[in-house]
Amino acid sequence: MKRWVLLTVLIGMVAWVMYDTFREQEDSYVIIDQGEEADEDFETGLSPGDQAPNFELETMSGETIRLSDYRGERVILNFWATWCPPCRAEMPDMQEIHEDADADVEIIAVNTTNSETSIENVEEFVDELQLTFPIPLDTSAEVANEYLVQVMPTTYFIDREGRVDRVAYGALNHDLFLQRVEEME
């Protein structure tokens, strides 16, 4: 049993080092647009200049979240799960940014609920970290699939016009979040 735990930890550490190395070497950015009332010049999709697919999801409290409702705001759209250590690591930084009025950005953290063992895990995690930004639940993975999420966490930075300025794969820290937000128009 101890060998399996040690092996799992070792594999995780190697994966994190590889991820960190590749992240430093490659900036991967995608530009897309959001909302139902898109400019006619943009196609819906995830390629540069495309209209970001709009979605409608419910939060744990039953509130409905639509991406199109955030038109005119800068948005951090994050896909995450409680079982994901990098996701867990970046949540306090997102909460700090959410509480900072000077950041001038909205955070939507979509939980990939279909990958969770239970909704109670999500509720306990949100309560434990006292997260107050919107956390819609993607219970069927429809939105994560539409956004082609394959790595946890995946974060889209959406500008005021609704175009994704950048996409980040893996965890970001407070300074990187703010840097990406400041680089948006």
Side-chain angles (χ1 to χ4, degrees), residues 71-141:
R71 174 72 66 151
E73 303 287 338
R74 295 185 298 183
V75 175
I76 294 172
L77 177 61
N78 178 270
F79 292 87
W80 68 284
T82 61
W83 50 262
C84 163
C87 301
R88 297 174 77 88
E90 72 180 3
M91 284 292 170
D93 290 330
M94 287 196 303
Q95 180 62 35
E96 187 177 334
I97 292 167
H98 175 68
E99 293 173 358
D100 181 0
D102 293 335
D104 190 28
V105 65
E106 297 293 328
I107 296 175
I108 304 172
V110 177
N111 177 264
T112 55
T113 315
N114 68 305
S115 72
E116 300 283 357
T117 55
S118 72
I119 190 69
E120 289 79 22
N121 288 350
V122 179
E123 293 169 345
E124 288 171 11
F125 180 77
V126 168
D127 289 344
E128 174 187 332
L129 292 181
Q130 300 177 348
L131 303 176
T132 59
F133 46 81
I135 300 178
L137 305 174
D138 190 7
T139 58
S140 66

Side-chain angles (χ1 to χ4, degrees), residues 129-182:
L129 292 181
Q130 300 177 348
L131 303 176
T132 59
F133 46 81
I135 300 178
L137 305 174
D138 190 7
T139 58
S140 66
E142 185 176 329
V143 177
N145 289 337
E146 194 167 14
Y147 276 82
L148 305 176
V149 174
Q150 296 180 8
V151 176
M152 292 291 182
T154 296
T155 305
Y156 288 88
F157 292 86
I158 302 173
D159 68 18
R160 295 179 195 282
E161 285 76 44
R163 289 183 288 278
V164 171
D165 184 69
R166 299 173 189 228
V167 60
Y169 305 101
L172 299 173
N173 64 31
H174 182 269
D175 293 338
L176 284 174
F177 273 120
L178 287 182
Q179 178 183 349
R180 300 296 187 245
V181 168
E182 289 172 7

Side-chain angles (χ1 to χ4, degrees), residues 47-75:
S47 296
D50 287 350
Q51 188 75 17
N54 191 32
F55 61 84
E56 181 176 308
L57 293 172
E58 275 191 26
T59 65
M60 288 181 290
S61 65
E63 178 187 0
T64 299
I65 299 290
R66 290 177 200 83
L67 185 60
S68 59
D69 290 344
Y70 291 85
R71 174 72 66 151
E73 303 287 338
R74 295 185 298 183
V75 175

